[in-house]
Amino acid sequence: MSYVPYGFYRFSGWMLLLSGLLTIGIQYVHLEDIPASLQQMDYFVDVAVWTHIGLLVSFTMFLMGFVGLYLRQAAALKWWGWVSFGMIFAFVVLDLLHAPIQIFNYPVLFDGVANEEQLKQASDLVMRIGSEGPGFFFMILLMPLILLGSILMGVSMLRAKVLPKGPAIATLVSVILIFLPYDSITKYLFPLQYAVFVWYGFILAFEKREAVSEGE
């Protein structure tokens, strides 16, 4: 049987905890993919660039911690539980593909925009990048990956009975958020799905060594 150091689980927990908090905070200041108006151009590019730099950092931390979350329950997870690992891992990677566009291309695409016509041309180009070619193919994969991945993750970790049931139940409840229409109110609910990983991260980070040893 392979041995995973106790410190790795604690490290994974801190990565999940910090990543979840950072991602929730970023989502609340995250702007739309294109400026709502010409007046927004005073700060739009700067906010878009820095929020996506933050997402690159937080999602990288998430992926490191996510591995530990599954390894902690490896002995009790069914094969279909591991399928959820691949689905959610792929979701995070694909969801991040648009980050380099906003970090590197937005300062160029929106440079010198001074009137509504120029804003429309730049915005149309941005929307075309995300809706045509490989970008569109990757985006349509996001919904099934996060939907099926979350359901399988919640059920598999609930049945594994290695960690407390609360986060697994919360994972299944959070699936409801996927079906809510995106509007001025519900957009503030979507970031809360990352609170599940803050919870899991807290459990791993502060779990007693004896409990870890018994679960292996």
Side-chain angles (χ1 to χ4, degrees), residues 89-196:
F89 196 99
F91 169 82
V92 173
V93 172
L94 292 177
D95 193 32
L96 265 184
L97 288 179
H98 76 289
I101 296 175
Q102 300 207 18
I103 294 172
F104 300 109
N105 291 357
Y106 272 29
V108 176
L109 294 175
F110 289 102
D111 182 46
V113 170
N115 55 57
E116 295 291 346
E117 182 179 357
Q118 292 175 339
L119 177 60
K120 185 179 185 306
Q121 290 176 348
S123 298
D124 288 347
L125 180 56
V126 169
M127 299 307 293
R128 283 182 57 193
I129 292 174
S131 62
E132 297 180 4
F136 175 74
F137 173 74
F138 288 139
M139 289 302 104
I140 63 175
L141 290 177
L142 293 180
M143 176 65 81
L145 284 175
I146 191 60
L147 176 59
L148 295 177
S150 296
I151 294 174
L152 290 176
M153 174 184 167
V155 175
S156 65
M157 293 188 178
L158 196 60
R159 294 188 60 178
K161 299 179 181 179
V162 175
L163 300 178
K165 295 180 179 180
I169 295 173
T171 299
L172 295 174
V173 173
S174 70
V175 171
I176 298 173
L177 298 176
I178 300 175
F179 295 99
L180 292 178
Y182 186 83
D183 58 34
S184 59
I185 296 177
T186 57
K187 70 179 181 180
Y188 296 107
L189 297 178
F190 291 124
L192 296 180
Q193 62 188 307
Y194 295 100
V196 170

Side-chain angles (χ1 to χ4, degrees), residues 6 13 20 22 25 29 31-32 41 44 46 68 74 76 82 84 86 91 110 115 118 122 147 170-171 194 206-207 211:
Y6 168 73
L22 182 58
V29 299
L31 299 174
E32 300 296 333
M41 287 305 302
F44 176 82
D46 287 339
W82 288 98
S84 69
F91 169 82
F110 289 102
N115 55 57
Q118 292 175 339
L147 176 59
T171 299
Y194 295 100
F206 295 99
E207 191 176 24

Side-chain angles (χ1 to χ4, degrees), residues 41-54:
M41 287 305 302
D42 291 339
Y43 57 87
F44 176 82
V45 173
D46 287 339
V47 173
V49 168
W50 284 106
T51 52
H52 283 81
I53 289 176

